[in-house]
Amino acid sequence: MTNDHSPVTVEQIGAALTALGYFDHEITPAEHAEFAALNNHPDIYRVRLVNALLGFAQREAMFADGVELDEENRFAAVGEQMKAAEAWDDMIMQMAFTAWQIERAMLPLRVSAPLEESGPLPVAAVQAAEGLHVMLGALGGTYAASAAGDVDGIAFQLEMQRAARGLLQSAIDNIDYVLDAVDTAGQ
């Protein structure tokens, strides 16, 4: 989003991707229209472009994070991400933004974990990520409900924390299952 909170256009996103070398040429308005039509909906095309830009930026961040930094500078670097996401000085936005990142990160695992051949550890990873996602959402919801004096909202968020605990316990149980199987096989 731009500073005035209006979404960036597909042309702006395409120009950024071209400038970064993702596309080998400037995408014309006609090409943008053609790509949007191929996706049967202009929002789908925009979402795909934004995600391509996000993936490019995340890959660069992954490589950049390989640099040796002390904790203060590492925190400041991540702070730049939070500032850009307009979540730097808003605890509720920080929880929502972090929960969103976790939910997105676990999507590939969520697809493969149910496969029988994947075993209990990928399932445990999904359960742990989902538990953390729910826990962060409930934490943000608790902050918001507390600020509004919403007792029912706080009670609901406590139920969400119980759900998060259940997911995390299921993850631990799946890990224990594997460790017990290894221990039994080693005897």
Side-chain angles (χ1 to χ4, degrees), residues 76-164:
V78 172
E80 293 301 324
Q81 178 190 24
M82 288 293 189
K83 288 175 190 172
E86 297 182 0
W88 177 249
D89 57 357
D90 181 339
M91 184 61 75
I92 295 168
M93 261 315 280
Q94 286 179 16
M95 295 301 111
F97 184 71
T98 304
W100 170 80
Q101 289 179 306
I102 290 166
E103 183 177 39
R104 289 179 58 90
M106 76 174 170
L107 186 60
L109 272 177
R110 185 181 278 165
V111 170
S112 64
L115 302 175
E116 187 174 316
E117 65 271 12
S118 67
L121 290 180
V123 171
V126 169
Q127 291 166 328
E130 286 180 351
L132 183 55
H133 175 257
V134 171
M135 184 171 62
L136 288 170
L139 184 56
T142 300
Y143 287 141
S146 294
D150 179 4
V151 176
D152 290 337
I154 293 170
F156 175 75
Q157 297 308 328
L158 289 173
E159 287 304 312
M160 296 306 296
Q161 290 294 1
R162 285 185 183 89

Side-chain angles (χ1 to χ4, degrees), residues 173-187:
D173 292 346
N174 273 309
I175 294 168
D176 285 347
Y177 173 80
V178 170
L179 294 175
D180 290 346
V182 169
D183 288 345
T184 301
Q187 294 178 358

